[in-house]
Amino acid sequence: GAGVSQSPSNKVTEKGKDVELRCDPISGHTALYWYRQSLGQGLEFLIYFQGNSAPDKSGLPSDRFSAERTGGSVSTLTIQRTQQEDSAVYLCASSFARVSTDTQYFGPGTRLTVL
Amino acid sequence: AQTVTQSQPEMSVQEAETVTLSCTYDTSENNYYLFWYKQPPSRQMILVIRQEAYKQQNATENRFSVNFQKAAKSFSLKISDSQLGDTAMYFCAFMKHERMAEYGNKLVFGAGTILRVKS
């Protein structure tokens, strides 16, 4: 079936603006993860959703970052008042999570550039 | 906290030859999983191979195999018969084992190794 999809593929915004990044997980996958890939910090975990459980937000770098997952499927990562250091590739991954260590499958990412 | 170290920022190999990418990690956990992911210029992260820490046998997937040394906390990837399509960034990743899925299992990544396969 279809893989994880993310939109937009690329996003250029001005400093101070808000942005929304979207992730569509693989159908049937209950777990969804957001990661950030930047030159200075490498690949970092941001947030994790699993079913109806409270999300694990331990990786969010500041309160300008938030995410939601509607209906247990699509997720939106929102960055408010963007800063230049937010420029990065934002990757989404999903897994079945029938057991805690199911393999995560990644989307192609959204490249965010903050001018 | 777990850390993953990839000490080779870049490597090159001739087509059809064999190359080994290094990865070491630090953890106090006994149950965990290790992964190698490949990221070509398209940005799509692709799972290459996975190893369960409780298994002594090294995982293999076609031309890809690992040398897992649990005591040394080492997890290297060997690519045999390298192909031009293997050119990519390779990430080593660690995942802690959680008994309950709702606790989540984030991947902890190394900094990556750029592999270039030359014709």
Side-chain angles (χ1 to χ4, degrees):
Chain A
V4 177
S5 61
Q6 292 186 246
S7 61
S9 177
N10 292 283
K11 176 73 176 177
V12 180
T13 190
E14 294 179 349
K15 178 181 172 181
K17 296 282 181 69
D18 297 352
V19 296
E20 287 189 349
L21 312 179
R22 177 187 168 105
C23 172
D24 282 90
I26 293 172
S27 177
H29 280 191
T30 58
L32 187 147
Y33 299 79
W34 283 98
Y35 294 87
R36 178 170 71 173
Q37 184 175 19
S38 58
L39 281 176
Q41 302 297 323
L43 266 159
E44 308 169 277
F45 164 78
L46 295 177
I47 188 169
Y48 159 78
F49 295 90
Q50 163 65 329
N52 296 321
S53 301
D56 176 359
K57 304 178 182 180
S58 61
L60 294 179
S62 78
D63 58 8
R64 296 186 296 105
F65 288 72
S66 63
E68 63 177 19
R69 189 177 184 192
T70 53
S73 181
V74 171
S75 177
T76 302
L77 176 69
T78 300
I79 309 173
Q80 296 178 311
R81 304 181 303 281
T82 51
Q83 303 293 314
Q84 288 181 333
E85 61 261 29
D86 299 335
S87 295
V89 174
Y90 290 82
L91 295 168
C92 176
S94 70
S95 72
F96 275 114
R98 292 159 300 185
V99 293
S100 59
T101 51
D102 271 345
T103 296
Q104 295 176 27
Y105 296 89
F106 284 79
T110 294
R111 180 179 296 281
L112 174 66
T113 302
V114 182
L115 302 177
Chain B
Q2 292 79 30
T3 58
V4 177
T5 302
Q6 294 178 250
S7 58
Q8 305 152 315
E10 295 187 29
M11 292 193 72
S12 295
V13 64
Q14 286 295 127
E15 200 174 5
E17 293 189 347
T18 296
V19 65
T20 298
L21 307 184
S22 300
C23 173
T24 59
Y25 58 94
D26 187 26
T27 185
S28 58
E29 302 288 332
N30 189 47
N31 294 323
Y32 52 87
Y33 297 77
L34 296 163
F35 303 82
W36 279 97
Y37 278 90
K38 165 186 176 181
Q39 187 180 43
S42 66
R43 285 202 316 247
Q44 182 79 53
M45 292 280 278
I46 303 165
L47 177 67
V48 174
I49 200 164
R50 163 191 170 121
Q51 174 80 43
E52 289 82 1
Y54 63 85
K55 290 186 178 178
Q56 292 186 335
Q57 186 172 4
N58 289 324
T60 63
E61 286 289 342
N62 301 314
R63 297 183 295 108
F64 299 88
S65 61
V66 298
N67 183 3
F68 173 48
Q69 301 290 329
K70 191 173 183 179
K73 296 181 181 174
S74 171
F75 183 62
S76 61
L77 174 69
K78 185 172 81 171
I79 306 174
S80 304
D81 186 26
S82 297
Q83 300 176 0
L84 294 177
D86 295 333
T87 293
M89 175 83 93
Y90 286 80
F91 291 97
C92 178
F94 174 101
M95 176 191 283
K96 186 172 65 171
H97 174 74
E98 292 280 4
R99 289 185 295 120
M100 304 295 287
E102 55 261 34
Y103 292 140
N105 273 301
K106 63 182 179 182
L107 288 163
V108 178
F109 289 92
T113 296
I114 298 172
L115 175 67
R116 295 187 175 88
V117 180
K118 300 179 178 178
S119 59

